[in-house]
Amino acid sequence: MERQKEELLSLVSLEIGYKRGKNRGSVLPPLSASAANGEMIALIGRNGIGKSTLLRTLTGLQPSFGG
């Protein structure tokens, strides 16, 4: 019997970036992803690609632009 995995995180068209005055700069195109209980997730990429911005947005330390 296979156990159904519980979805812990779901991103639908999440837009992240920085606000500079009235201008905003998106770091990445809108992101969609999901993670279930028991899955291992890795976040990799070159410097300056938006890894820390994504983590700050997911934890609520930085507001998202949408999604």
Side-chain angles (χ1 to χ4, degrees), residues 3-66:
R3 289 180 62 181
Q4 186 175 2
K5 292 188 176 187
E6 178 186 353
E7 188 172 78
L8 296 177
L9 178 68
S10 177
L11 309 176
V12 180
S13 298
L14 178 66
E15 295 181 53
I16 61 172
Y18 293 98
K19 248 185 175 175
R20 293 180 185 103
K22 292 185 179 182
N23 299 325
R24 70 178 203 176
S26 292
V27 176
L28 296 169
L31 303 171
S32 294
S34 64
N37 186 20
E39 290 183 334
M40 183 179 293
I41 305 297
L43 185 60
I44 59 173
R46 65 179 200 264
N47 292 345
I49 199 81
K51 299 178 301 288
S52 296
T53 304
L54 175 61
L55 292 174
R56 281 194 300 274
T57 304
L58 292 177
T59 59
L61 297 174
Q62 181 173 326
S64 68
F65 290 155

